[in-house]
């Protein structure tokens, strides 16, 4: 089976009251959080889809995650969400069943993964404000970005 998240409209109107950024969906590996619209996790919906940003925490997990992204070992993301009523459709491509998700009811977490559910959701690390490459893990003005296409 293959899953497809359709363009940005799938996130429009989705509940995002309490969303966490994890490493590999592990609730013990919190990188950032947005609760009630505020917090260390910034979520935006743009013309491409859902984008998230946060300053990586100055913790062993934050430093390790940044280093693995910088080296290219981590470059995908995954999401925990529920699908809105009527927010999906099923088709077949030969022997493969394909589920296209068109509307998400609620988003619960965003996870940086080595093997994410959605390989076309890139993760990058950069200097805050520059959008450029991350020159040093020691730099505390760090940000992680993701775009769900």
């Amino acid at each position: 089976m293959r899953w497809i998240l359709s363009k940005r409209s799938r996130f429009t109107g989705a509940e995002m009251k309490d969303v966490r950024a994890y490493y590999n969906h592990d609730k013990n590996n919190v990188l950032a959080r947005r609760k009630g619209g505020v917090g260390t996790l910034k979520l935006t919906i743009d013309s491409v889809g859902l984008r998230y940003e946060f300053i990586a925490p100055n913790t062993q997990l934050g430093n390790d995650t940044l280093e693995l992204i910088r080296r290219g070992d981590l470059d995908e993301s995954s999401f925990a969400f529920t699908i809105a009523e009527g927010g999906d459709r099923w088709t077949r491509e030969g022997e493969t069943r394909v589920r296209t998700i068109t509307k998400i009811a609620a988003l619960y977490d965003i996870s940086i993964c080595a093997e994410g559910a959605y390989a076309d959701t890139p993760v990058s690390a950069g200097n805050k404000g520059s959008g450029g490459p991350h020159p040093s893990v020691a730099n505390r003005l760090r940000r992680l970005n993701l775009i769900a296409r």
Side-chain angles (χ1 to χ4, degrees):
M1 179 169 46
R2 188 167 58 122
W3 292 64
I4 298 172
L5 284 173
S6 69
K7 300 292 181 192
R8 78 181 194 135
S9 62
R10 70 187 173 269
F11 290 104
T12 302
E15 179 184 307
M16 297 184 201
K17 290 182 182 175
D18 192 2
V19 181
R20 291 170 176 88
Y22 294 130
Y23 174 75
N24 270 340
H25 290 294
D26 187 333
K27 292 178 175 148
N28 295 307
N29 291 324
V30 178
L31 294 165
R33 183 178 185 187
R34 173 187 164 153
K35 185 173 183 178
V38 297
T40 55
L41 176 62
K42 180 182 175 186
L43 300 171
T44 54
I45 300 170
D46 62 19
S47 61
V48 177
L50 176 70
R51 178 184 185 97
Y52 74 75
E53 285 184 80
F54 60 88
I55 296 173
N58 185 16
T59 62
Q60 189 67 49
L61 175 64
N63 293 331
D64 288 351
T65 301
L66 276 173
E67 178 63 11
L68 291 169
I69 291 169
R70 187 187 63 73
R71 290 172 20 141
D73 300 328
L74 294 176
D75 61 358
E76 297 177 14
S77 289
S78 187
F79 309 91
F81 57 87
T82 53
I83 300 169
E85 184 72 31
D88 64 344
R89 67 178 179 273
W90 291 88
T91 57
R92 278 212 176 271
E93 291 180 5
E95 295 297 312
T96 304
R97 292 181 67 200
V98 178
R99 185 181 196 185
T100 301
I101 299 167
T102 58
K103 188 74 174 153
I104 292 174
L107 179 67
Y108 302 105
D109 84 55
I110 297 164
S111 290
I112 297 171
C113 304
E115 292 183 29
Y118 311 99
D120 64 343
T121 54
V123 174
S124 65
N127 288 331
K128 184 176 182 178
S130 74
H134 178 58
S136 167
V137 173
N139 182 348
R140 295 299 169 224
L141 296 176
R142 309 172 296 178
R143 124 182 125 185
L144 301 176
N145 304 303
L146 170 120
I147 299 174
R149 299 180 195 275

